[in-house]
Amino acid sequence: MSPDPKTESFMALAIAQAKAAAQRGEVPVGAVLIHQRRVIACAGNRTLELHDPTAHAEILVIREACQQANSQRLPDFDLYVTLEPCTMCAAAISFARIRRLYIAAEDAKAGAVLNGARFYDQPNCHHAPEIYSGIGESEASRLLKSFFQKRRNVPPDCL
Amino acid sequence: MSPDPKTESFMALAIAQAKAAAQRGEVPVGAVLIHQRRVIACAGNRTLELHDPTAHAEILVIREACQQANSQRLPDFDLYVTLEPCTMCAAAISFARIRRLYIAAEDAKAGAVLNGARFYDQPNCHHAPEIYSGIGESEASRLLKSFFQKRRNVPPDCL
């Protein structure tokens, strides 16, 4: 499915970030950016903590790697993310010229890569990464389901 | 067209931000966020300067206002932007729960509000702002056309 033998271990790091996000009360999504088989940046969602609706895991690792690279483009970078990116993140991934995108679980509701807007298939998309999906899917999905199940059982004013 | 009599003056501020962006060599787009008729944040594109592909004018003002508000949601805020938001920014505007979106010029190529993905019309969009377009359109368009005209006349290795 993927040309990179380290795929599973990189996705495991992203899943660890998703778990850490859940422990902080954030939606459990994690992302890792790889360059030449080295981990350059990893993050989980931090929208609540940072008071920033753009602080999705993908945006955080892209911004961090761009700072390290002194560039707004990351053409030889591969992104591992535990949930299919939303429209905002799909566009940011394209703007950053990410080379490959590895997705664990699909997101039929808010995903914009394999579902919904299918951003990379649109005629106005200037750059589409190579896409690989399904690596670590069961664990990433389980984390999300468990998180939302627990949240539904908490009175809304405690969230 | 708009319920707010200050609309033109707020858009003039956004256009001033777009002009300043052009002087820095950035794509000339500006944005202003308003709360209770007060300017809370204003910015022009800074993707080159900040080495950040997400540093569009809209994202910068949303992030700044969220810091001030200590919240990832800005439900009573109105956003003025000189160019129709792209897919990334349209989604961020929705996530932030912006109330009203004032657009100067449409963007037939990369816009995602009135063109392209028409993000706010999609079934998976949880929040759509009220949209008003055309205020300050001619000046905002002129700025962009002039910027790209000059850029085409510069050898690519000087950009």
Side-chain angles (χ1 to χ4, degrees), chain A residues 47-48 50-54 56 59 62-63 66-67 70-72 86-88 91-92 95-96 109-111 116-117 119 124, chain B residues 47-48 50-54 56 59 62-63 66-67 70-72 86-88 91-92 95-96 109-111 116 119 124:
Chain A
T47 59
L48 294 172
L50 299 180
H51 304 308
D52 181 355
T54 74
H56 288 194
I59 301 284
I62 288 171
R63 296 182 68 218
C66 284
Q67 293 311 302
N70 276 331
S71 170
Q72 60 164 326
C86 72
T87 318
M88 175 179 76
F95 296 158
K109 284 188 184 166
F119 182 77
N124 59 359
Chain B
T47 60
L48 293 172
L50 298 180
H51 304 308
D52 181 355
T54 74
H56 287 193
I59 301 284
I62 288 171
R63 296 182 69 218
C66 285
Q67 292 312 300
N70 276 331
S71 170
Q72 60 164 327
C86 71
T87 319
M88 175 179 76
F95 296 159
K109 284 188 185 166
F119 182 77
N124 59 359

Side-chain angles (χ1 to χ4, degrees), chain A residues 58-119:
Chain A
E58 303 95 311
I59 301 284
L60 293 176
V61 293
I62 288 171
R63 296 182 68 218
E64 185 180 332
C66 284
Q67 293 311 302
Q68 290 186 40
N70 276 331
S71 170
Q72 60 164 326
R73 304 249 165 112
L74 303 168
D76 300 319
F77 284 66
D78 300 334
L79 178 65
Y80 290 72
V81 61
T82 60
L83 184 68
E84 180 184 347
C86 72
T87 318
M88 175 179 76
C89 293
I93 289 164
S94 175
F95 296 158
R97 306 291 192 264
I98 300 285
R99 180 176 62 173
R100 294 183 187 137
L101 172 60
Y102 296 87
I103 297 168
E106 285 197 34
D107 184 352
K109 284 188 184 166
V113 176
L114 307 163
N115 294 278
R118 288 179 174 78
F119 182 77

Side-chain angles (χ1 to χ4, degrees), chain B residues 4-150:
Chain B
D4 187 337
K6 281 194 164 183
T7 293
E8 287 187 17
S9 64
F10 290 144
M11 190 60 86
L13 289 177
I15 289 173
Q17 290 291 326
K19 284 180 185 166
Q23 286 171 345
R24 296 190 303 267
E26 307 269 3
V27 174
V29 178
V32 174
L33 254 182
I34 304 296
H35 184 240
Q36 295 178 342
R37 303 200 171 197
R38 284 179 48 237
V39 177
I40 303 300
C42 52
N45 274 346
R46 289 188 181 270
T47 60
L48 293 172
E49 177 191 346
L50 298 180
H51 304 308
D52 181 355
T54 74
H56 287 193
E58 302 95 310
I59 301 284
L60 293 176
V61 294
I62 288 171
R63 296 182 69 218
E64 186 181 331
C66 285
Q67 292 312 300
Q68 289 186 40
N70 276 331
S71 170
Q72 60 164 327
R73 304 245 166 116
L74 304 168
D76 300 320
F77 284 66
D78 300 333
L79 178 64
Y80 290 72
V81 62
T82 60
L83 185 67
E84 180 184 348
C86 71
T87 319
M88 175 179 76
C89 294
I93 289 164
S94 176
F95 296 159
R97 306 289 193 266
I98 300 287
R99 180 176 62 173
R100 293 182 187 136
L101 172 60
Y102 296 86
I103 297 168
E106 285 196 34
D107 184 351
K109 284 188 185 166
V113 176
L114 307 163
N115 294 278
R118 289 179 175 78
F119 182 77
Y120 303 125
D121 297 334
Q122 301 307 313
N124 59 359
C125 174
H126 291 301
H127 170 81
E130 295 170 29
I131 297 165
Y132 304 92
S133 67
I135 314 112
E137 181 176 10
S138 58
E139 191 168 5
S141 293
R142 190 185 52 71
L143 267 175
L144 283 155
K145 279 178 191 157
S146 164
F147 178 81
F148 285 109
Q149 181 67 46
K150 279 181 193 152

